[in-house]
Amino acid sequence: MSELKKPVFKPNREFAAQARIKNMCEYNALMDWAKEDYEGFWDHFAKEKITWMQPYHTVLDESNAPFVKWFEGGKLNVSVQCIDRHLDTRKNKAAIIFEGDRGDNQVITYRELYYNVNRFANMLKNNFGVQKGDRVVIYMPMIPEAAYAMLACARIGAIHSIVFGGFSAEALRDRIEDAQAKVVITADGAFRKDKPYMLKPVVDEALKGTSVVEKVCVVERNGEDVTWVAGRDYSYNELIKNQSVTCSPEPMESEEPLFLLYTSGSTGKPKGVQHNQAGYILWAQMTMEWVFDVKENDTYWCTADVGWITGHTYIVYGPLAMGATTVMFEGVPTYPDAGRPWKMVEEYKINQFYTAPTAIRVLHKSGEHEPAKYDLSSLKVLGTVGEPIDPPAWKWYYEAIGGGKCAIVDTYWQTETGGHIVSPLPGATPIKPACATLPLPGIMGEILDPQSGEKVGVGESGYMCVVRPWPSQIRGIWGDPERFVKSYYGDVKKDGKPVYFTGDGALYDEDGYITITGRTDDVINVSGHRMGTAEVEAAIKKHPNVAEVAVVGKPHEIKGEGIFAYVVLKGEDTVSEEMEMVKEINNVIKKEIGNIALCDDVIFVPGLPKTRSGKIMRRILRAIAKGEAITQDTSTLEDPSVVQAIESAVNSCKM
Ligand code: WT7
């Protein structure tokens, strides 16, 4: 392999001595245990970690694979796992520390969390008629009530589906309809950069086109005026006052659904990824303990939004299941300046800090010297997630933030995996910059050759797979079992049996470490958010002047990848009209999906490179967007001359 060897950083000795997994011998012992007695391994942890209401009789049932069942016969309640069972020993401990955009803050103890969640649960039952199995859409800012709403659903057995607050009314409506949600929980809005922004009007707009939602619960956060629809909209702040602070938890079967979370695939509409009760909460808790190694008096901060899986597993469920103190932040990391996160680390004495490479790059670029102004000595573990981190960003994170003494856990996982699957362990794994290292104990992660199903050799690209089912894995796509099988079990077979394929490419290095190289399908990763090219294309096609469109990802300095659209217009257009069209196209995207999917480049081309059977050759488009030479054979194209025309359109835009 020609690639230069990466430097290796051994775990901090002092840290390792007190860590849950202290060295590679312990890691290997756990992995060997899982390999030799897979069910025994998971049985041990399920018994040790979960407070069962009724014990399970079967650890794993694979008879209907890939539809698997974990811990069948068992009953539990995830809100009990996250709250009630801590009340004996942690009732006055901070469960959530909330910091608002404008620096306001609030500490919620485990006892207060218990009361707030119970009240919320009673309100959902009494005032909104929510019953076990009902779907509830949560469209909320980053405020504690978002966590109460999730846990209240869990308490009564309702299935929540959080929609990220940056999604548009159309995107929200699609998700509401797909899940057939009868209640939406939202807020008037919240604050960003000291200014109010609104969510409730987006809900109003979304609900205009659908009749599935019966009631809307509105939490007051920014106090701005909102419109009320009589008989549909109700104020949380009013209703919550009269609720009882006790609510008996619904005993849930291990495999009943806990939540849905919509994510993008390579084709079609977003898919409702379903996670169930026991397996999900077990792995959320185990990875919190192993990967972040949070201790009883630690304060842990993950900067994600609850609208993404990271917010579910590593702001709410994982930290609370283990009884930790989790920080929730409403604002943006660069406001009032790029020292904000470091100021918060100093103020709250944060011990574990978890964020995305995009945020690290922004904070590095716009505030290289900010960290030096603050006392960051409380930090023990730094985490990254969502996309490959580039070595310069890694180095700054390691040195300027971690002071060269903190492990960086480059956690690789996805919405579908529920929790981390490949990651260093901070007290055990020698780390290398920008490398997710090794599968976690119990996760049978392998890089396979898609043709032969064999493990690839050192330096050879292959597909990142998991060859055995694991407790926190996706259980289905809401309403579409066929798509579930096709999306994850269609591409790679090992020993003749389909195995879970993540959609990512990866490589082994000479130490057997895994480096994730990125998606192998038509999914773009913009600032750690997954966007399907098909979804963006479908939005752009809604513009009446667009004849054809193809979207690809293009490397972007801050966002990791940016969105690059090739558009064929109907009829002839002049340059000035094209400039107007770029604006209009982005307006359509804003309306159909939201600002997160806006295009970085829109190029008007006379045609798209298609094969004679009509398939768009995106590889050519990706190469042109990157400014690379075309290496593929273009003779199979229906009209090979189109490639040159596209290249010159792109080049003329660069001038
Ligand atoms: C996709 C999953 C996992 C929570 C946030 C995103 C990419 C994720 C890493 C990493 C390289 C990564 C993959 C994956 N990804 N973590 N540490 N190194 N790539 O969740 O929206 O489901 O996206 O993010 O491509 O498939 P998601």
Side-chain angles (χ1 to χ4, degrees):
M1 211 175 89
S2 61
E3 206 192 324
L4 284 177
K5 265 189 116 157
K6 286 179 175 167
V8 181
F9 299 83
K10 294 219 173 100
N12 175 324
R13 275 216 211 145
E14 230 176 290
F15 178 86
Q18 54 82 65
R20 287 186 176 81
I21 301 178
K22 297 178 171 49
N23 50 55
M24 288 312 280
C25 290
E26 292 189 5
Y27 165 81
N28 288 323
L30 283 164
M31 209 42 159
D32 289 344
W33 177 13
K35 281 184 185 153
E36 281 154 27
D37 180 12
Y38 196 61
E39 291 183 20
F41 174 90
W42 290 111
D43 184 34
H44 169 88
F45 288 107
K47 288 206 172 96
E48 181 182 291
K49 304 291 177 194
I50 292 183
T51 300
W52 293 97
M53 289 174 161
Q54 180 180 299
Y56 52 87
H57 51 69
T58 309
V59 176
L60 170 63
D61 176 0
E62 293 182 80
S63 58
N64 194 25
F67 299 92
V68 296
K69 288 181 177 165
W70 283 92
F71 313 119
E72 241 191 311
K75 286 191 178 169
L76 74 162
N77 184 285
V78 166
S79 78
V80 171
Q81 183 74 11
C82 291
I83 311 170
D84 306 39
R85 71 193 191 106
H86 303 309
L87 294 177
D88 280 348
T89 53
R90 302 187 173 110
K91 61 176 179 294
N92 294 317
K93 175 175 175 171
I96 299 175
I97 296 177
F98 168 71
E99 168 142 326
D101 173 70
R102 296 164 305 166
D104 49 315
N105 56 27
Q106 201 186 334
V107 175
I108 298 115
T109 64
Y110 272 93
R111 181 172 30 197
E112 287 164 333
L113 183 64
Y114 173 78
Y115 292 151
N116 291 336
V117 168
N118 284 342
R119 283 202 199 100
F120 209 121
N122 285 325
M123 176 191 72
L124 288 180
K125 284 203 287 196
N126 301 336
N127 301 88
F128 293 89
V130 178
Q131 291 174 359
K132 180 175 163 176
D134 286 343
R135 274 80 58 212
V136 173
V137 161
I138 299 177
Y139 187 68
M140 285 279 262
M142 283 290 291
I143 54 175
E145 287 79 4
Y148 306 160
M150 295 163 76
L151 292 159
C153 287
R155 195 156 189 94
I156 63 176
I159 304 166
H160 62 69
S161 169
I162 307 190
V163 178
F164 171 60
F167 278 118
S168 69
E170 305 280 333
L172 175 60
R173 182 193 304 136
D174 285 347
R175 286 158 178 78
I176 287 170
E177 290 200 318
D178 191 82
Q180 293 286 300
K182 68 189 238 191
V183 169
V184 175
I185 303 169
T186 189
D188 44 7
F191 297 97
R192 187 186 295 131
K193 300 190 183 179
D194 207 21
K195 291 196 182 67
Y197 72 91
M198 302 306 288
L199 290 174
K200 174 66 164 55
V202 186
V203 174
D204 292 335
E205 184 61 32
L207 297 190
K208 271 185 197 157
T210 177
S211 55
V212 296
V213 172
E214 292 163 16
K215 290 192 163 99
V216 178
C217 172
V218 187
V219 178
E220 188 184 313
R221 167 63 184 153
N222 64 19
E224 297 290 306
D225 279 343
V226 291
T227 324
W228 291 89
V229 175
R232 188 194 75 183
D233 302 347
Y234 296 87
S235 159
Y236 161 85
N237 305 66
E238 284 303 315
L239 295 177
I240 206 71
K241 288 182 199 155
N242 306 320
Q243 308 296 335
S244 153
V245 295
T246 56
C247 170
S248 68
E250 187 72 32
M252 299 297 289
E253 284 172 28
S254 295
E255 290 292 354
E256 285 181 306
L258 175 64
F259 65 82
L260 307 180
L261 184 57
Y262 283 80
T263 190
S264 298
S266 51
T267 55
K269 295 187 307 170
K271 40 197 180 187
V273 171
Q274 181 185 329
H275 282 288
N276 290 357
Q277 313 276 331
Y280 171 79
I281 200 66
L282 174 64
W283 191 236
Q285 184 178 330
M286 286 173 70
T287 48
M288 266 313 290
E289 293 175 358
W290 282 349
V291 175
F292 297 116
D293 208 58
V294 175
K295 292 286 162 46
E296 191 57 42
N297 296 315
D298 284 354
T299 302
Y300 158 91
W301 180 20
C302 164
T303 69
D305 189 284
V306 288
W308 308 113
I309 191 69
T310 311
H312 286 60
T313 310
Y314 298 111
I315 294 179
V316 179
Y317 287 119
L320 297 176
M322 74 167 293
T325 297
T326 179
V327 173
M328 222 177 154
F329 177 47
E330 179 190 40
V332 294
T334 49
Y335 186 82
D337 57 48
R340 178 77 181 264
W342 321 129
K343 183 165 181 271
M344 283 176 65
V345 167
E346 176 180 287
E347 276 175 14
Y348 297 112
K349 299 193 171 47
I350 303 286
N351 304 106
Q352 296 83 14
F353 178 73
Y354 190 29
T355 196
T358 300
I360 299 168
R361 288 191 288 265
V362 170
L363 292 166
H364 181 193
K365 289 230 155 54
S366 51
E368 182 162 12
H369 303 295
E370 288 295 325
K373 298 183 188 161
Y374 301 95
D375 177 5
L376 306 181
S377 61
S378 57
L379 288 170
K380 296 190 280 189
V381 179
L382 300 174
T384 80
V385 58
E387 50 179 320
I389 178 168
D390 46 297
W394 193 96
K395 190 166 177 277
W396 183 74
Y397 201 30
Y398 190 74
E399 288 166 2
I401 310 304
K405 68 174 178 52
C406 301
I408 295 187
V409 290
D410 182 344
T411 62
Y412 166 74
W413 60 298
Q414 336 173 272
T415 304
E416 293 87 342
T417 66
H420 307 144
I421 58 171
V422 180
S423 171
L425 294 164
T429 319
I431 52 173
K432 302 182 189 184
C435 177
T437 74
L438 298 166
L440 288 170
I443 302 295
M444 300 302 153
E446 292 182 4
I447 308 173
L448 301 178
D449 178 301
Q451 260 81 47
S452 66
E454 303 280 334
K455 245 172 127 161
V456 297
V458 174
E460 289 170 17
S461 341
Y463 281 19
M464 186 68 231
C465 297
V466 186
V467 304
R468 301 265 355 231
W470 70 103
S472 69
Q473 74 171 81
I474 175 174
R475 291 303 196 278
I477 291 174
W478 189 251
D480 201 343
E482 273 165 43
R483 190 173 178 199
F484 164 69
V485 179
K486 215 169 146 241
S487 304
Y488 306 105
Y489 294 89
D491 293 305
V492 190
K493 284 196 176 99
K494 184 182 160 117
D495 303 326
K497 269 200 345 216
V499 293
Y500 178 88
F501 170 43
T502 58
D504 287 299
L507 303 166
Y508 286 119
D509 73 6
E510 57 290 342
D511 295 316
Y513 276 23
I514 293 169
T515 297
I516 304 294
T517 51
R519 304 288 307 190
T520 62
D521 53 11
D522 290 322
V523 168
I524 315 179
N525 192 327
V526 187
S527 304
H529 302 148
R530 234 156 103 177
M531 292 304 324
T533 50
E535 252 172 280
V536 182
E537 287 167 4
I540 296 176
K541 273 187 202 146
K542 297 228 162 140
H543 192 288
N545 294 356
V546 170
E548 281 188 294
V549 56
V551 163
V552 296
K554 176 188 170 184
H556 185 283
E557 216 191 341
I558 298 288
K559 298 196 249 184
E561 270 190 300
I563 302 179
F564 193 111
Y566 294 91
V567 175
V568 183
L569 292 175
K570 288 179 186 162
E572 299 278 313
D573 279 271
T574 63
V575 175
S576 68
E577 280 170 346
E578 285 185 356
M579 278 164 66
E580 200 42 48
M581 269 301 285
V582 174
K583 271 194 223 146
E584 286 184 25
I585 284 173
N586 271 325
N587 279 337
V588 181
I589 294 176
K590 204 165 156 177
K591 177 166 174 286
E592 295 292 320
I593 305 175
N595 284 340
I596 52 172
L598 293 183
C599 292
D600 295 278
D601 299 272
V602 178
I603 303 288
F604 298 99
V605 292
L608 297 173
K610 286 186 190 163
T611 59
R612 287 190 192 96
S613 60
K615 198 172 162 264
I616 297 171
M617 290 193 65
R618 274 164 217 281
R619 251 192 299 160
I620 294 178
L621 295 175
R622 274 195 286 266
I624 297 175
K626 278 192 209 165
E628 287 174 0
I630 313 274
T631 51
Q632 290 83 344
D633 176 14
T634 54
S635 64
T636 55
L637 292 179
E638 195 186 359
D639 172 14
S641 75
V642 83
V643 175
Q644 223 177 356
I646 295 171
E647 279 181 312
S648 61
V650 172
N651 287 334
S652 71
C653 279
K654 282 192 193 134
M655 290 191 299

